[in-house]
Amino acid sequence: MMKAMLAAAPGGPDAMVWSDVELSAPGPGEVRIRHRAIGVNFIDVYYRSGLYPWPEKTLIPGAEAAGVITAVGPDVHDVAIGDRVAYVSRFGAYCEERLIEADRCVKIPDGLSDTVVAGSLLKGLTAQYLVTSSYCVKPGDHILVHAAAGGVGLILGQWLKALGAHAIGTAGSPEKVALAKAHGYEHVIDYRRDDFVKAVKEITGGKGCAAVYDSVGADTWRGSLQCLKKRGMFVSFGQSSGMIDGFKLSDLAAHGSISANRPVLFDYVEERDELLARCADLFSRLVSGAVRIKEPDRRPLSDAAQAHAMLEGRQTTGSLVLDV
């Protein structure tokens, strides 16, 4: 038996209950991991609330974690007992131990802590595919990022700067504005005080941005479209303020033949070769210091409900990690 945060039905943060769960031996291609640190992300909220469909009658949320392999099943070749590993998965991480397919695990490089990796793997891989695949950022591009002081936002600011782009962020307080500016953004707009559409037009000399990375959704998408230059790219990769409603294909034509996509990380790491390549890119930037990760805020695993309430209340900056 091991402990896990288990939800029996969709609901608010209190839907998750500290529970005993039985864990079997690993089967073919599987490993057992003893977790050391577990990342908290909005995808966990989306599953817990029922916004995303559940796979079973009960749910253990959690999309990323780091730990140590304690047992392996047959036909496991790339990892071994004692390896420090991390993974991203749609759910299942809010527990002391778990079984997972070995090909989902990546070894953690020396020099990176379990806590930093657990707080940055999903967010870092998201940033990686956003700037390389959703829209391939070029030097000199103006790029708008909403929630610039969030976990993905702080990584994106540094990555965009390293690519030679002009990073423009939005944030919701003077403190968050200052934090984003310290992480690579040339300009940060306090959206609670200023009209971000007007500010972006001024910053870009009226030309608009090559791309907008929007994880906020309902509150920002209409303005995001107005911030794009002709044939720009609107990338909607989250909906922290709610689902986008009322979007029409004709909106793309109305704003200058722009394009839009709604990517999901797991479609960009489905094949192991691609997972390893994207992780190698991320880890190299973390180890070199080109992308710096603020030490995550930490809560005990049993306080996951409080962590969700903080996340949904926009009371966090950077990453939040559950200790095991």
Side-chain angles (χ1 to χ4, degrees), residues 46 56 136 226 239 246 287 295:
Y46 300 155
E56 300 172 350
C136 187
Q226 297 176 55
Q239 53 271 331
V287 171
E295 187 65 29

PDB file of all heavy atoms in Angstrom, residues 46 56 136 226 239 246 287 295:
ATOM      1  N   TYR A  46      -7.384  20.930 -14.508  1.00  0.00           N
ATOM      2  CA  TYR A  46      -8.357  20.626 -15.554  1.00  0.00           C
ATOM      3  C   TYR A  46      -8.915  19.212 -15.405  1.00  0.00           C
ATOM      4  O   TYR A  46     -10.116  18.987 -15.614  1.00  0.00           O
ATOM      5  CB  TYR A  46      -7.710  20.782 -16.932  1.00  0.00           C
ATOM      6  CG  TYR A  46      -7.164  22.164 -17.235  1.00  0.00           C
ATOM      7  CD1 TYR A  46      -6.142  22.341 -18.157  1.00  0.00           C
ATOM      8  CD2 TYR A  46      -7.666  23.298 -16.602  1.00  0.00           C
ATOM      9  CE1 TYR A  46      -5.632  23.600 -18.445  1.00  0.00           C
ATOM     10  CE2 TYR A  46      -7.158  24.554 -16.880  1.00  0.00           C
ATOM     11  CZ  TYR A  46      -6.138  24.696 -17.799  1.00  0.00           C
ATOM     12  OH  TYR A  46      -5.638  25.942 -18.069  1.00  0.00           O
ATOM     13  N   GLU A  56     -10.795   6.834 -15.715  1.00  0.00           N
ATOM     14  CA  GLU A  56     -11.375   5.764 -14.904  1.00  0.00           C
ATOM     15  C   GLU A  56     -12.403   6.359 -13.951  1.00  0.00           C
ATOM     16  O   GLU A  56     -12.668   7.568 -13.980  1.00  0.00           O
ATOM     17  CB  GLU A  56     -10.266   5.044 -14.121  1.00  0.00           C
ATOM     18  CG  GLU A  56      -9.202   4.407 -15.010  1.00  0.00           C
ATOM     19  CD  GLU A  56      -8.026   3.875 -14.195  1.00  0.00           C
ATOM     20  OE1 GLU A  56      -7.961   4.177 -12.985  1.00  0.00           O
ATOM     21  OE2 GLU A  56      -7.177   3.191 -14.781  1.00  0.00           O
ATOM     22  N   CYS A 136       8.036  28.613 -34.913  1.00  0.00           N
ATOM     23  CA  CYS A 136       9.492  28.561 -34.861  1.00  0.00           C
ATOM     24  C   CYS A 136      10.029  29.990 -34.779  1.00  0.00           C
ATOM     25  O   CYS A 136      10.027  30.725 -35.768  1.00  0.00           O
ATOM     26  CB  CYS A 136      10.045  27.843 -36.094  1.00  0.00           C
ATOM     27  SG  CYS A 136      11.822  27.565 -36.017  1.00  0.00           S
ATOM     28  N   GLN A 226      -5.725  40.697 -31.782  1.00  0.00           N
ATOM     29  CA  GLN A 226      -5.472  42.074 -32.193  1.00  0.00           C
ATOM     30  C   GLN A 226      -3.994  42.447 -32.088  1.00  0.00           C
ATOM     31  O   GLN A 226      -3.563  43.440 -32.682  1.00  0.00           O
ATOM     32  CB  GLN A 226      -6.291  43.037 -31.333  1.00  0.00           C
ATOM     33  CG  GLN A 226      -7.799  42.872 -31.470  1.00  0.00           C
ATOM     34  CD  GLN A 226      -8.554  43.782 -30.526  1.00  0.00           C
ATOM     35  OE1 GLN A 226      -8.345  45.001 -30.527  1.00  0.00           O
ATOM     36  NE2 GLN A 226      -9.405  43.210 -29.703  1.00  0.00           N
ATOM     37  N   GLN A 239      -6.047  27.539 -20.624  1.00  0.00           N
ATOM     38  CA  GLN A 239      -7.239  28.355 -20.384  1.00  0.00           C
ATOM     39  C   GLN A 239      -7.430  28.575 -18.892  1.00  0.00           C
ATOM     40  O   GLN A 239      -8.438  28.185 -18.320  1.00  0.00           O
ATOM     41  CB  GLN A 239      -8.486  27.704 -21.007  1.00  0.00           C
ATOM     42  CG  GLN A 239      -8.751  26.269 -20.613  1.00  0.00           C
ATOM     43  CD  GLN A 239      -8.081  25.270 -21.505  1.00  0.00           C
ATOM     44  OE1 GLN A 239      -7.838  25.513 -22.685  1.00  0.00           O
ATOM     45  NE2 GLN A 239      -7.763  24.124 -20.949  1.00  0.00           N
ATOM     46  N   GLY A 246     -16.825  31.461 -28.556  1.00  0.00           N
ATOM     47  CA  GLY A 246     -17.204  32.403 -29.602  1.00  0.00           C
ATOM     48  C   GLY A 246     -16.186  32.559 -30.709  1.00  0.00           C
ATOM     49  O   GLY A 246     -16.397  33.351 -31.635  1.00  0.00           O
ATOM     50  N   VAL A 287      21.279  23.143 -17.411  1.00  0.00           N
ATOM     51  CA  VAL A 287      22.615  22.887 -16.872  1.00  0.00           C
ATOM     52  C   VAL A 287      23.554  24.049 -17.165  1.00  0.00           C
ATOM     53  O   VAL A 287      24.367  24.453 -16.316  1.00  0.00           O
ATOM     54  CB  VAL A 287      23.181  21.563 -17.434  1.00  0.00           C
ATOM     55  CG1 VAL A 287      24.648  21.406 -17.063  1.00  0.00           C
ATOM     56  CG2 VAL A 287      22.382  20.375 -16.902  1.00  0.00           C
ATOM     57  N   GLU A 295      13.949  28.354  -7.514  1.00  0.00           N
ATOM     58  CA  GLU A 295      13.643  27.214  -6.651  1.00  0.00           C
ATOM     59  C   GLU A 295      12.137  27.188  -6.388  1.00  0.00           C
ATOM     60  O   GLU A 295      11.551  28.177  -5.935  1.00  0.00           O
ATOM     61  CB  GLU A 295      14.400  27.320  -5.327  1.00  0.00           C
ATOM     62  CG  GLU A 295      14.276  26.098  -4.431  1.00  0.00           C
ATOM     63  CD  GLU A 295      14.914  24.843  -5.018  1.00  0.00           C
ATOM     64  OE1 GLU A 295      15.879  24.958  -5.798  1.00  0.00           O
ATOM     65  OE2 GLU A 295      14.436  23.743  -4.681  1.00  0.00           O
TER      66      GLU A 295
END
